[in-house]
């Protein structure tokens, strides 16, 4: 059976980009497919070094998954850090991964490009450099086949395939070669400044703030100086939001508004209504879970015991293949 796996880094509260890129598609798949959904808390240590934030973010992202309707019957739901086997696999995979492969990672190259002076690596944390190997370990630990991610993560899945393939050739077939599930219909959701929505760029819109703040953040989405009455372009950032949040019929309605020259301000009010109608009920559920962390904890502990069983079994096979004493 093809299982689905995806995770979100716990470096803040969830934003609309997480929802569109990972949560919404994975939750849809979880209705009919065995799924592994996890909180990438070890990945978050690379992005920020604030223990309180990491801790709070884990609850917040876990609560968001549950609130948005993750099917807990079909899903193994866990914290990455609760499965130490992932870290062990990380070493095994590091041992066969060429440095040259990691040199090609977009996230690594982006930091190099931003660094002035001769030593382009001076701001590159080893955790960031090795990030794709940890991500491969997350995926291969459970031999997952389908990985719903935003298109920015495509390269990481390709690297996972390369690493899995190298392992299979060196030691014997063990790993599935995973495939990304990228909805090409759905563009990467831009942040308020138009670049990819990300905590790292501080350009995000919270998934679950209150209504007032949601409208306020939507108002910050960058537009241009076109006046009311002038046709608004489809390649605007704002249009991408309408595209991501509406079904076909609704989109026709918004197309008309854009063509007929609605003002940016009115379009932003419409966008608020559209987004809020999709997430409003989830917000209620989310807030109740945040008030009851024990409920979230119970769900995670249950998921972690299932994940541990599978990871222990798989790691046993992997250790045997590489010639390390089986546990
Ligand atoms: N790198 C992903 C992101 O930043 C998070 C992640 C970590 C992930 N491990 C994963 C996603 C494994 C899919 C599969 O969005």
């Amino acid at each position: 059976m093809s299982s689905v796996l995806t995770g979100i880094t716990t470096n803040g509260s969830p934003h609309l980009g997480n929802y569109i890129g990972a949560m919404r598609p994975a939750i849809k798949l979880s209705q009919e497919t065995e799924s592994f959904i996890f909180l990438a808390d070890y990945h978050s240590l690379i992005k920020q070094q604030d223990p309180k934030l990491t801790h709070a973010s884990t609850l917040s992202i876990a609560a968001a998954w549950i609130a948005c309707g993750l099917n807990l019957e079909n899903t193994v739901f866990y914290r990455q850090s609760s499965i130490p086997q992932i870290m062990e696999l990380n070493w095994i995979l590091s041992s066969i991964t060429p440095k040259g492969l990691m040199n090609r990672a977009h996230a690594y190259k982006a930091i190099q490009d931003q660094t002035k002076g001769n030593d382009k690596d001076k701001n590159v944390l080893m955790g960031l450099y090795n990030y794709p190997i940890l991500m491969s370990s997350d995926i291969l630990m459970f031999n997952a086949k389908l990985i719903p991610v935003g298109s920015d993560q495509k390269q990481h899945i390709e690297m996972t395939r390369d690493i899995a393939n190298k392992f299979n050739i060196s030691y014997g077939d063990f790993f599935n070669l995973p495939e990304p599930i990228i909805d090409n219909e759905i563009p990467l959701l831009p942040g308020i400044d138009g670049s990819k929505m990300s905590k790292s760029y501080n350009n995000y819109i919270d998934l679950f703030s209150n209504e007032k703040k949601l409208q306020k953040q939507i108002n910050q989405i960058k537009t241009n100086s076109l006046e009311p009455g002038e046709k608004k372009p489809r390649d605007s950032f704002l249009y991408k939001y309408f595209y991501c949040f509406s079904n076909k019929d609704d989109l026709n309605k918004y197309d008309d508004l854009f063509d007929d020259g609605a003002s940016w301000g009115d379009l932003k009010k419409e966008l608020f209504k559209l987004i809020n109608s999709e997430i409003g009920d989830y917000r209620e559920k989310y807030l109740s879970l945040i008030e009851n962390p024990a409920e979230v904890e119970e769900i995670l502990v249950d998921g972690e015991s299932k994940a541990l069983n599978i990871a222990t079994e798989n790691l046993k096979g992997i250790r045997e293949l590489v010639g390390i004493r089986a546990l």
Side-chain angles (χ1 to χ4, degrees):
M1 191 161 108
S2 300
S3 55
V4 169
L5 178 145
T6 198
I8 294 181
T9 307
T10 55
N11 59 338
S13 38
H15 54 67
L16 291 181
N18 298 135
Y19 176 73
I20 293 293
M23 296 175 71
R24 195 173 64 177
I27 288 172
K28 198 158 163 236
L29 284 164
S30 78
Q31 308 308 344
E32 62 242 26
T33 318
E34 178 192 35
S35 300
F36 294 86
I37 302 292
F38 71 98
L39 309 161
D41 48 358
Y42 266 134
H43 272 114
S44 83
L45 301 186
I46 306 160
K47 310 241 169 131
Q48 45 77 24
Q49 290 78 36
D50 178 346
K52 286 211 180 85
L53 187 133
T54 298
H55 192 74
S57 166
T58 305
L59 170 65
S60 154
I61 293 185
W65 276 108
I66 301 167
C68 293
L70 186 66
N71 183 322
L72 293 166
E73 296 283 304
N74 295 342
T75 304
V76 182
F77 187 46
Y78 54 98
R79 283 162 283 220
Q80 180 189 38
S81 60
S82 295
I83 318 299
Q85 289 82 356
I86 295 173
M87 291 299 139
E88 205 171 324
L89 180 57
N90 186 51
W91 178 253
I92 297 174
L93 299 180
S94 298
S95 306
I96 57 161
T97 302
K99 175 170 177 289
L101 183 64
M102 297 298 101
N103 286 346
R104 294 203 284 275
H106 301 315
Y108 162 60
K109 289 207 294 196
I111 296 207
Q112 281 196 320
D113 288 347
Q114 288 155 18
T115 305
K116 300 201 175 69
N118 288 336
D119 183 2
K120 295 288 176 205
D121 281 341
K122 73 172 181 238
N123 297 328
V124 177
L125 299 173
M126 286 310 295
L128 178 107
Y129 192 68
N130 293 329
Y131 188 108
I133 310 181
L134 183 54
M135 192 157 153
S136 303
S137 310
D138 292 329
I139 296 169
L140 299 176
M141 185 79 265
F142 298 97
N143 239 331
K145 192 87 183 83
L146 305 173
I147 319 296
V149 281
S151 55
D152 59 312
Q153 297 293 315
K154 186 165 175 238
Q155 188 194 34
H156 289 147
I157 313 299
E158 283 160 3
M159 289 176 160
T160 303
R161 290 171 68 88
D162 286 349
I163 295 171
N165 195 34
K166 176 106 188 272
F167 182 98
N168 289 348
I169 290 170
S170 308
Y171 292 117
D173 263 346
F174 191 89
F175 294 125
N176 290 326
L177 303 190
E179 286 160 29
I181 303 189
I182 296 171
D183 190 344
N184 289 324
E185 285 279 299
I186 296 288
L188 262 193
L189 197 68
I192 55 173
D193 61 352
S195 58
K196 178 203 156 193
M197 187 180 291
S198 163
K199 287 272 149 174
S200 319
Y201 305 150
N202 202 14
N203 65 355
Y204 58 91
I205 297 182
D206 292 299
L207 177 56
F208 294 130
S209 49
N210 57 41
E211 295 187 350
K212 213 168 147 203
K213 188 162 174 210
L214 177 59
Q215 178 73 71
K216 204 171 149 206
Q217 289 183 320
I218 289 174
N219 290 344
Q220 290 167 348
I221 298 171
K222 199 169 161 195
T223 53
N224 57 20
S225 56
L226 288 171
E227 299 284 338
E230 289 183 282
K231 183 176 167 169
K232 302 296 179 296
R234 300 275 162 90
D235 61 1
S236 54
F237 304 136
L238 206 63
Y239 188 79
K240 291 217 170 87
Y241 283 80
F242 281 102
Y243 194 88
C244 289
F245 279 93
S246 41
N247 59 33
K248 280 231 160 63
D249 288 345
D250 285 342
L251 193 61
N252 286 335
K253 187 176 98 193
Y254 299 122
D255 283 348
D256 290 344
L257 286 179
F258 271 69
D259 291 349
D260 296 346
S263 70
W264 286 124
D266 285 347
L267 288 169
K268 286 176 171 176
K269 288 197 188 109
E270 281 298 321
L271 181 62
F272 165 80
K273 280 194 239 155
L274 176 66
I275 296 180
N276 203 45
S277 69
E278 179 160 337
I279 65 170
D281 291 348
Y282 302 153
R283 184 193 292 121
E284 300 285 306
K285 173 85 183 147
Y286 170 81
L287 292 174
S288 92
L289 287 166
I290 293 290
E291 292 296 310
N292 290 297
E295 206 179 313
V296 178
E297 185 63 24
E298 201 180 310
I299 293 172
L300 284 171
V301 167
D302 180 53
E304 283 159 8
S305 91
K306 292 184 197 141
L308 275 172
N309 282 341
I310 302 171
T312 306
E313 192 54 31
N314 282 350
L315 188 63
K316 201 165 149 216
I318 296 164
R319 285 176 63 140
E320 261 163 30
L321 279 175
V322 302
I324 297 289
R325 178 184 56 88
L327 289 169

